Amino acid sequence: MPATESASIFNSYFLMKNDEPAVYVKEKTDVFPKDAVLTVKEIGDGNLNYVFLVTDNSGKSVIVKQAGESLRISSAMRVSTDRNRIESEILELQGRLAPGLVPFIYFYDTVMCACIMEDLSDYRLMRYALMDFEIFPRFSDDITTYMVNTLIDTSDAVMEHKAKKELVKSFINPELCEITEDLVLTEPYNDIAARNIVFPPNAEFVQIELYADKSLHLEVAKLKNNFLTNAQALIHGDLHTGSIFVKTKGTKIFDPEFAFYGPIGYDVGNVIANLIFAWNRGTAFAESDFCGWVLSAVKEVIDLFKQKFTARFLETVTEHMFMTEGFAEYYLDKILADTAGYAGTELIRRTVGMAQVKDITTIPDDIKRTAAERINILCAKDMIINRKTFKTGEDFTASVLSSAEKERMYRL
Ligand code: SR1
Ligand code: MG
């Protein structure tokens, strides 16, 4: 073993702190000269990991992201640190499939369960930018290119099936999937683990509309079964606006640690639901121009996704039977129904589940927050129950507007 390797403090796992991420970057990469003076700042505000910004005195910087053995959101929840390998490997793969739309990975390490990646400090986290009512005209185009390229190209439509199954194996992600199976697809409907967070003015509404609605439970059970068994494509698995960086001239999708082979509509549905949170917040603050843009983004994401998906499917399909006339339409139709269904489950779980979104929880006026939450739930139920009828961008925007109207009627 070379002397440097045997002497390294990074030969066995520990949680980095203080200036250790800087030492780590110098040891593992050539990004900075060995004599560079580096500063370290912990900047993570997610639920799971530790994120450090490492900068030299010229302003050059990288990010070090490390997986802890228990989660930041709850020290009682322990989740495999293999999530960091999954995240690093999928970002490398997606960098090839969707160039420019994901951060560059300089290095990753299965001992420290950490990776060193491109710093995107010139971008803003999309959730916070939307909370300030900023608009991003490029967003629909970029996010649909990312989804179409990364999802079709890893599916059985395009990949040789044995090679695809190798990827299924490599991206098996049981513990992170379990979080979604529990927090998204079970607990919001029954509070079975007693960790839902229900805004008190909506307690009765949640009891009637979610906990007591058996026909809703049946549809969610079907969506859960689909999530558990439909190894359709290598999905991001947690594609909310806290997993997206934006600036006027670009978009970067990051944080795919929940990635696994699952239903394509899970990713598309998450994007739609998180736009709806932004719309709901905009409505509470009477930001009508912003709300107009958000609704047009919802419509565009669906319509551009359909358009690009069909074009890329027809261009790249290699599975002979999938070339049969009518199959592309059948395949896309199922994805759109899944999109509506999982937009619904995301809307509900972020409203009553353990992991909520600041777009809604920081609405200061209780009456407006109550209304925003009810719109989320009514819209979600429409999308889940009637998911097979959602075919166009307008079907999604119409559901948002009619749910807002329904909520107004509920109050009268
Ligand atoms: C316990 S982790 C809570 C949530 O944070 C992640 O971003 C996922 O969305 C997960 O459901
Ligand atoms: Mg995350």
Side-chain angles (χ1 to χ4, degrees):
M1 194 180 280
T4 51
E5 213 177 303
S6 57
S8 172
I9 59 168
F10 303 113
N11 285 345
S12 55
Y13 177 82
F14 66 95
L15 216 46
M16 287 186 266
K17 57 180 178 345
N18 303 327
D19 68 339
E20 286 155 354
V23 180
Y24 183 69
V25 172
K26 279 195 194 167
E27 182 176 311
K28 302 294 185 186
T29 73
D30 294 327
V31 174
F32 301 106
K34 300 298 173 211
D35 60 353
V37 178
L38 302 179
T39 56
V40 178
K41 193 172 163 205
E42 212 277 309
I43 56 166
D45 78 339
N47 294 327
L48 279 81
N49 302 295
Y50 298 87
V51 183
F52 304 93
L53 174 65
V54 178
T55 316
D56 74 4
N57 46 22
S58 76
K60 190 166 163 186
S61 52
V62 295
I63 294 291
V64 176
K65 180 170 180 181
Q66 185 176 30
E69 288 170 317
S70 55
L71 303 189
R72 292 181 80 142
I73 190 177
S74 157
S75 55
M77 288 175 78
R78 300 180 74 79
V79 178
S80 166
T81 48
D82 185 47
R83 64 186 188 271
N84 191 271
R85 173 195 66 81
I86 289 185
E87 170 168 358
S88 306
E89 289 185 359
I90 193 180
L91 283 174
E92 289 180 340
L93 174 66
Q94 293 184 337
R96 295 191 289 277
L97 299 177
L101 291 173
V102 299
F104 180 76
I105 296 286
Y106 294 102
F107 174 82
Y108 75 94
D109 169 3
T110 54
V111 174
M112 290 298 289
C113 307
C115 60
I116 301 172
M117 69 172 108
E118 181 184 359
D119 173 34
L120 298 166
S121 301
D122 54 330
Y123 287 71
R124 272 198 90 187
L125 201 62
M126 187 169 184
R127 185 174 312 286
Y128 295 145
L130 295 179
M131 285 172 64
D132 289 339
F133 313 116
E134 287 181 36
I135 65 166
F136 296 94
R138 286 188 60 91
F139 175 69
S140 313
D141 194 23
D142 285 345
I143 196 73
T144 50
T145 298
Y146 166 83
M147 292 193 292
V148 167
N149 292 13
T150 60
L151 297 171
I152 293 204
D153 289 21
T154 56
S155 75
D156 278 304
V158 173
M159 285 192 77
E160 193 278 319
H161 304 323
K162 291 195 293 301
K164 179 234 165 179
K165 287 180 178 75
E166 283 304 317
L167 281 191
V168 174
K169 254 202 271 180
S170 160
F171 288 100
I172 197 90
N173 200 351
E175 295 185 12
L176 282 277
C177 282
E178 187 183 38
I179 292 178
T180 304
E181 290 149 21
D182 292 344
L183 294 194
V184 183
L185 298 164
T186 304
E187 294 173 23
Y189 305 93
N190 44 43
D191 200 18
I192 206 167
R195 51 188 182 181
N196 282 357
I197 305 168
V198 177
F199 188 48
N202 275 332
E204 195 188 335
F205 187 87
V206 167
Q207 177 62 40
I208 296 167
E209 296 291 340
L210 298 181
Y211 297 165
D213 188 341
K214 297 294 174 208
S215 59
L216 175 68
H217 296 184
L218 175 59
E219 296 313 312
V220 175
K222 293 176 193 171
L223 288 163
K224 183 170 181 179
N225 178 53
N226 188 52
F227 183 86
L228 287 162
T229 57
N230 182 4
Q232 190 172 27
L234 183 54
I235 68 171
H236 179 287
D238 197 24
L239 194 44
H240 56 82
T241 47
S243 298
I244 302 172
F245 279 122
V246 278
K247 62 180 181 183
T248 313
K249 291 199 174 135
T251 310
K252 299 265 187 192
I253 295 91
F254 71 111
D255 210 12
E257 63 194 327
F258 281 74
F260 78 113
Y261 259 88
I264 290 175
Y266 192 77
D267 274 358
V268 191
N270 267 272
V271 171
I272 297 299
N274 280 272
L275 288 172
I276 295 171
F277 297 134
W279 180 86
N280 245 319
R281 180 182 176 79
T283 302
F285 282 83
E287 290 280 344
S288 58
D289 289 353
F290 173 76
C291 287
W293 174 77
V294 176
L295 274 197
S296 70
V298 168
K299 182 176 179 314
E300 264 176 36
V301 167
I302 296 295
D303 292 337
L304 279 176
F305 177 82
K306 285 175 64 180
Q307 193 185 311
K308 292 182 191 180
F309 188 92
T310 305
R312 197 164 178 102
F313 183 96
L314 297 176
E315 254 165 46
T316 56
V317 60
T318 60
E319 161 51 55
H320 189 72
M321 293 305 287
F322 287 14
M323 295 174 195
T324 307
E325 202 181 323
F327 183 83
E329 293 78 2
Y330 154 82
Y331 196 71
L332 184 56
D333 245 38
K334 170 74 168 82
I335 290 170
L336 290 170
D338 285 354
T339 296
Y342 294 120
T345 56
E346 174 74 358
L347 282 165
I348 288 173
R349 75 91 167 215
R350 296 291 193 186
T351 306
V352 301
M354 175 191 181
Q356 310 210 333
V357 285
K358 289 193 177 137
D359 320 42
I360 304 296
T361 57
T362 63
I363 295 173
D365 178 321
D366 281 1
I367 293 174
K368 289 187 173 150
R369 176 171 169 190
T370 305
E373 292 196 357
R374 290 180 180 195
I375 296 169
N376 285 343
I377 291 172
L378 294 169
C379 183
K381 290 184 69 169
D382 180 34
M383 290 186 177
I384 292 171
I385 292 163
N386 303 312
R387 64 190 177 283
K388 291 187 182 138
T389 66
F390 283 74
K391 312 256 181 224
T392 66
E394 215 162 295
D395 293 337
F396 285 81
T397 56
S399 177
V400 175
L401 295 173
S402 69
S403 303
E405 188 50 35
K406 236 186 271 170
E407 188 281 327
R408 265 193 296 277
M409 302 307 293
Y410 214 98
R411 266 186 283 155
L412 296 176

